[in-house]
Amino acid sequence: MDMEYKTESLDASFDIVARQDAADDKIKTLRTDVDEIRNRLDKVSRAAARPVLDGGQPARTAEVEGFVDGYLRSGRETELKSMSGMVPGDGGYAVPREIDAMIARTLSNISPIRQIAQVVQTGTAGYRKLITAGGTASGWVSETAARPETSTPAFHEIAPPTGELFANPAASQAMLDDAGFDLEMWLAGEIAAEFARAEGSAFVSGTGVDQPSGFLNSPLSTLDDAARGFGALQYIGSGDDIGFDSEPEARLIDLVHTLKASHRQGASWVMNSSTMAAVRKLKTTDGAFLWQPGMVEGQPDRLLGYPIVEAEDMPDIAAGECPIAFGNFRAGYLIAERSATAILRDPFTHKPFVHFYATKRIGGQVLDSEAIKLLRIEA
């Protein structure tokens, strides 16, 4: 009897051990599955958060893959079947949004006026905007008094002249056949550099004929905001017909305060490097420099407390020229552009080079003539 009890106890012990081993195995299996799931999630998370892949490029979509490797590298138009923005009637194919955004980012970084102006995206070639001259009439009344009729504001229509901006970078077929050649980044950089060079000149001094109308192309007047006609920019003279007079700081201070206080919030100076060199040498009557260098890397230099934007397309200091502009360009100048850039691949014109003819419609015009002031070289 005692022997049977011991046997049953021993069997029970073995059963407990077996069940414990089975439970341990299940726990190990479960941990393995959990670890595998975590690893997969971690890979997905890293892939989603990874900023660049494939030689410094963002992870490509199928659309970008077909456009870059199929069309740009090999010229296979059948690779564009997944694209909804094909516009062969316009002379090319609309680039995918990712590449267009890359061009836009690069363009914003190297185009000085674009950095400070107001930029709007349009779906058509034209853009129109109504603005009021002098604002809308208003007044004060008591709670129960009759509301007098306000006068009708005067409206002005802004329709920036537009033109087709183009760039035509070229690469050899050997470069395109090289899988290590970063075609996407190279093309975006080349197009943006050419666009920036051309539009920088147009935004400053464009004629308005098949191109934007630059702010220096506006009518000029010495009258203040209340007396000046709509669309004309106010300027003050430098006091000398070849440069600055004996008190240059007084002229620059006057220029600052011709701008309304509301516009001075966010205002900046615009001049080219030659003018900047001359301005850096200007001193006050007590010998202090007007120029204030940026104290932190990446912070712009300042003149009378306002940042300076270097635009090489501004004129040099010469009689009758306006080498210095001051104003709130986000309120004063409007850039209207179609968001789509079209690219036509041309492997035939200059063999063995392949040209990429890129086009984009861009317009520009002074939006608020009270927000930009000029310094003119005159006695």
Side-chain angles (χ1 to χ4, degrees):
M1 191 71 178
D2 186 46
M3 189 65 176
E4 291 178 358
Y5 175 76
K6 288 182 179 180
T7 302
E8 291 176 357
S9 300
L10 190 59
D11 291 341
S13 299
F14 282 133
D15 186 51
I16 293 174
V17 172
R19 283 184 290 174
Q20 183 66 42
D21 291 341
D24 290 341
D25 291 339
K26 290 181 179 180
I27 291 174
K28 288 180 181 179
T29 302
L30 183 60
R31 286 177 177 172
T32 302
D33 293 340
V34 170
D35 290 339
E36 185 177 354
I37 293 172
R38 284 177 176 172
N39 289 334
R40 290 180 179 178
L41 291 175
D42 189 45
K43 288 180 181 179
V44 172
S45 177
R46 286 199 304 269
R50 186 179 298 135
V52 292
L53 286 173
D54 194 17
Q57 288 298 314
R60 289 177 173 178
T61 63
E63 181 186 25
V64 176
E65 195 78 32
F67 184 80
V68 174
D69 294 333
Y71 179 64
L72 297 182
R73 285 189 188 275
S74 306
R76 296 194 302 269
E77 297 185 10
T78 55
E79 297 293 336
L80 300 176
K81 58 183 179 296
S82 63
M83 296 180 59
S84 60
M86 291 191 295
V87 284
D90 292 342
Y93 291 92
V95 304
R97 289 189 300 270
E98 293 88 338
I99 300 179
D100 210 27
M102 189 184 305
I103 295 173
R105 285 195 300 270
T106 307
L107 196 57
S108 297
N109 290 334
I110 61 179
S111 179
I113 303 303
R114 179 181 286 269
Q115 293 176 10
I116 57 177
Q118 181 181 157
V119 181
V120 296
Q121 303 290 333
T122 67
T124 59
Y127 176 83
R128 298 178 183 276
K129 182 176 182 179
L130 288 178
I131 62 174
T132 59
T136 304
S138 59
W140 293 93
V141 294
S142 66
E143 182 179 357
T144 58
R147 270 52 176 175
E149 183 178 354
T150 58
S151 59
T152 302
F155 286 94
H156 297 280
E157 184 182 59
I158 298 296
T162 62
E164 188 166 276
L165 181 60
F166 69 89
N168 196 24
S172 67
Q173 188 60 54
M175 294 170 61
L176 300 180
D177 292 339
D178 184 1
F181 175 56
D182 195 344
L183 175 58
E184 187 178 346
M185 183 64 75
W186 170 82
L187 188 61
E190 289 291 313
I191 292 174
E194 288 300 313
F195 279 5
R197 180 192 59 79
E199 74 175 24
S201 174
F203 295 156
V204 172
S205 56
T207 62
V209 179
D210 295 330
Q211 60 180 281
S213 177
F215 60 88
L216 291 185
N217 189 47
S218 303
L220 303 182
S221 173
T222 58
L223 300 177
D224 61 18
D225 293 344
R228 195 174 64 257
F230 177 80
L233 298 185
Q234 182 183 2
Y235 76 90
I236 65 171
S238 64
D240 192 293
D241 58 2
I242 60 172
F244 300 100
D245 65 1
S246 58
E247 295 183 348
E249 73 277 11
R251 299 288 178 174
L252 295 176
I253 290 172
D254 289 342
L255 184 62
V256 168
H257 289 279
T258 57
L259 199 65
K260 291 181 179 179
S262 58
H263 287 321
R264 289 200 297 269
Q265 307 298 321
S268 58
W269 302 91
V270 177
M271 61 189 78
N272 66 19
S273 58
S274 176
T275 305
M276 288 175 67
V279 171
R280 293 191 69 168
K281 301 171 187 176
L282 298 180
K283 297 182 180 180
T284 62
T285 53
D286 59 359
F289 284 100
L290 296 177
W291 187 278
Q292 303 161 355
M295 303 302 294
V296 180
E297 184 178 359
Q299 186 181 58
D301 296 330
R302 291 179 176 270
L303 178 63
L304 299 178
Y306 294 94
I308 302 170
V309 175
E310 185 175 359
E312 286 304 322
D313 295 290
M314 290 290 289
D316 293 334
I317 297 175
E321 297 290 353
C322 297
I324 297 177
F326 176 76
N328 187 325
F329 283 80
R330 196 159 305 276
Y333 194 80
L334 175 70
I335 299 172
E337 64 178 7
R338 291 190 66 175
S339 57
T341 301
I343 294 181
L344 174 66
R345 187 181 191 273
D346 176 16
F348 308 109
T349 303
H350 296 101
K351 297 184 290 292
F353 297 99
V354 178
H355 286 260
F356 299 97
Y357 182 71
T359 59
K360 189 170 189 175
R361 293 198 64 83
I362 298 179
Q365 183 182 358
V366 169
L367 178 62
D368 184 353
S369 57
E370 296 181 0
I372 300 175
K373 308 294 181 178
L374 302 174
L375 180 75
R376 188 175 186 180
I377 304 301
E378 64 178 22

